[in-house]
Amino acid sequence: MAVGHDAGPARPFGSLHDAVHQALDGLDDIGELRRFPRQVLERLGKLGVLRERWRGDCPGDVVFGAELAETVAANAPTGIAVGVSLHTESVLSMLHRFGTTDYLAELRERALDGAAIGAVAASEPTGGSDLSAVRTVAVPDAAGWRISGRKKYVSLGAVGDFVVVLCRVADRAGKPTRRLATVVVPLAEAEVTREHEKLGTHALDTVAVAFDDVLVPHEALLGRSGLGLANISYGLTFERLAVGAQILGAVGHALSLAVEHTERRSQFGAPLRSHQHLEYRLADVLVELEVLRGAVYHTARQLVDNPLERSLVARVAAVKVHAARKAEYLVSECMQMFGGAGYLPQETPLGQIWQDVRLARIGGGTDEMMLALVAGELSGAARAYDRGVRISS
Ligand SMILES: Cc1cc2nc3c(=O)[nH]c(=O)nc-3n(C[C@H](O)[C@H](O)[C@H](O)COP(=O)(O)OP(=O)(O)OC[C@H]3O[C@@H](n4cnc5c(N)ncnc54)[C@H](O)[C@@H]3O)c2cc1C
């Protein structure tokens, strides 16, 4: 399915679709990848796509970011789309908003060119939902910050150049305080302790890392000390919206394969598609996609207008949790059209897409954490209640 939005002003790279195809061109055995192919981001950078995403002031062109996520997911394994969005949405949003030092501004320029690829390290072995409990410490000294600790999940960690690390600020004696901060650390200074085997998104590497007294300059502090959690949350908001867009791409791809199959395969003397029950189920998938499309792009436009509005964070969370839960079901519906072949990974990619989209219910914050954000927006109506509710005792 085509991305249904105006191309806007002329872009240096022509259409987004063509640029994404150029970025993916020549990747051998794309289904066999076990690490993110960094040339995809390098090429998107060279073509000017990353700069187009960050045109103008922060938050840049969020709608374009969603279109990019959708287009990559429609044309490549979801793991590649997740890796692209991590860099363009999470990392670059934080670098734009909080990267005020020359050191970080220079890094941001390289990231926009695709010459430096960034990752995010927030979750730790002791927990990911409750990020206020992180134990990795940043100890200030005369030369800069000394970072020590372990992070359990760092996507792009095996191929990236730098990582935004959520740390607990320590005092000069090394005693942890209550303050959290985000610090940028070169990935070359981190020890990769494990490269995780995963159920899906194989084209995205996710690793565990350890930092053993890694020294970074004072200027590597991203934003103000004490606001680390807020900084990470800011980046996550853009990433979560991109997850919704990735699902549009991945499910749209699954749907187009399923429609094609129902036209080619016959049972009971007629193409599967002519059995109305099947065609209507496919139409139902399209209905869900169209509703989701409206939600993703409407929210993207709102983020452009007012990225700091508190209720928008909850609205993005609502879009993400809805998209993530629906994706599992919708891909499964498409898989069903293939009968037994849908369950055979050597014969159809549907099973892989199903396993890939399952990550959306966890990555960037779980369903439950999204619902916690949405729950914060629930409000009762006292007057209407008093007027309309009469409960007898
Ligand atoms: C493939 C992959 C890639 C990832 N990439 C990254 C990355 O690049 N950077 C990064 O920082 N992290 C990354 N993560 C980590 C991810 O963000 C966390 O796994 C996620 O936030 C959940 O944290 P957890 O695994 O510690 O689960 P836990 O926090 O232990 O939660 C377990 C379950 O309990 C639920 N739960 C927890 N607390 C509550 C509560 N108060 N009320 C109701 N339910 C609750 C959770 O929703 C979840 O269902 C990645 C994870 C995966 C699997």
Side-chain angles (χ1 to χ4, degrees):
M1 296 208 329
V3 176
H5 294 272
D6 295 338
R11 290 167 173 156
F13 45 83
S15 84
L16 178 58
H17 189 264
D18 289 350
V20 166
H21 274 278
Q22 279 185 58
L24 296 170
D25 189 39
L27 284 181
D28 295 330
D29 295 329
I30 201 164
E32 303 301 316
L33 291 171
R34 285 296 175 271
R35 284 184 172 184
F36 180 84
R38 55 176 289 148
Q39 64 265 44
V40 172
L41 275 169
E42 287 167 354
R43 288 178 187 165
L44 289 173
K46 282 199 183 114
L47 287 164
V49 173
L50 306 184
R51 286 190 181 275
E52 183 71 13
R53 161 66 185 90
W54 286 98
R55 193 161 41 98
D57 290 336
C58 199
D61 190 342
V62 188
V63 175
F64 182 77
E67 288 174 348
L68 176 61
E70 178 179 354
T71 308
V72 177
N75 291 283
T78 313
I80 295 186
V82 175
V84 168
S85 297
L86 250 175
H87 179 78
T88 63
E89 304 305 311
S90 270
V91 174
L92 275 168
S93 65
M94 287 190 276
L95 281 179
H96 271 85
R97 182 148 177 79
F98 310 114
T100 48
T101 64
D102 289 348
Y103 177 84
L104 292 175
E106 195 258 340
L107 187 62
R108 182 181 68 222
E109 290 306 304
R110 290 179 42 228
L112 284 168
D113 286 337
I117 294 176
V120 176
S123 315
E124 300 200 352
T126 45
S129 300
D130 182 9
L131 289 177
S132 66
V134 298
R135 294 181 182 173
T136 296
V137 284
V139 183
D141 81 5
W145 296 93
R146 295 191 171 277
I147 313 297
S148 298
R150 291 190 300 138
K151 294 287 180 182
K152 179 154 180 190
Y153 303 96
V154 183
S155 296
L156 296 176
V159 302
D161 301 289
F162 67 94
V163 59
V164 177
V165 185
L166 181 65
C167 307
R168 183 165 299 285
V169 178
D171 63 19
R172 282 185 180 267
K175 187 165 171 255
T177 70
R178 291 165 61 94
R179 292 204 321 272
L180 297 181
T182 36
V183 179
V184 174
V185 179
L187 269 164
E189 302 288 330
E191 183 198 352
V192 173
T193 54
R194 177 188 282 257
E195 206 157 329
H196 294 297
E197 274 291 322
K198 294 180 297 184
L199 198 60
T201 58
H202 302 301
L204 174 75
D205 46 285
T206 302
V207 300
V209 299
F211 303 100
D212 182 12
D213 199 27
V214 175
L215 178 66
V216 295
H218 291 293
E219 295 76 22
L221 179 71
L222 186 64
R224 284 182 19 219
S225 170
L227 296 182
L229 209 49
N231 300 348
I232 287 283
S233 302
Y234 183 81
L236 281 174
T237 298
F238 296 98
E239 186 182 333
R240 287 169 186 159
L241 190 71
V243 169
Q246 289 158 18
I247 285 168
L248 287 175
V251 178
H253 175 56
L255 177 61
S256 60
L257 293 178
V259 171
E260 188 67 28
H261 183 71
T262 58
E263 287 170 356
R264 293 185 186 204
R265 167 96 169 159
S266 288
Q267 289 288 279
F268 299 98
L272 291 176
R273 186 170 174 173
S274 67
H275 301 291
Q276 203 176 48
H277 177 64
L278 294 185
E279 191 180 43
Y280 281 14
R281 277 168 73 182
L282 291 172
D284 257 337
V285 175
L286 188 56
V287 168
E288 295 289 353
L289 275 181
E290 286 308 316
V291 174
L292 182 59
R293 181 181 307 284
V296 167
Y297 287 101
H298 175 67
T299 313
R301 281 188 289 273
Q302 288 185 316
L303 266 177
V304 173
D305 293 340
N306 194 356
L308 297 179
E309 189 192 317
R310 205 181 152 274
S311 67
L312 260 179
V313 173
R315 245 174 281 165
V316 170
V319 172
K320 193 227 177 211
V321 65
H322 181 74
R325 291 194 295 201
K326 281 284 175 192
E328 241 192 305
Y329 171 72
L330 297 177
V331 175
S332 178
E333 280 292 277
C334 296
M335 229 169 125
Q336 193 70 10
M337 301 299 144
F338 287 84
Y343 203 68
L344 303 183
Q346 302 297 333
E347 298 194 7
T348 64
L350 278 293
Q352 192 56 61
I353 300 172
W354 193 37
Q355 289 179 318
D356 285 353
V357 297
R358 182 61 177 80
L359 177 61
R361 297 189 61 182
I362 304 163
T366 60
D367 287 358
E368 292 73 21
M369 293 304 103
M370 296 306 100
L371 291 172
L373 288 167
V374 175
E377 293 297 306
L378 292 171
S379 62
R383 264 207 220 145
Y385 188 97
D386 291 342
R387 269 201 314 270
V389 180
R390 296 278 179 271
I391 299 174
S392 62
S393 54

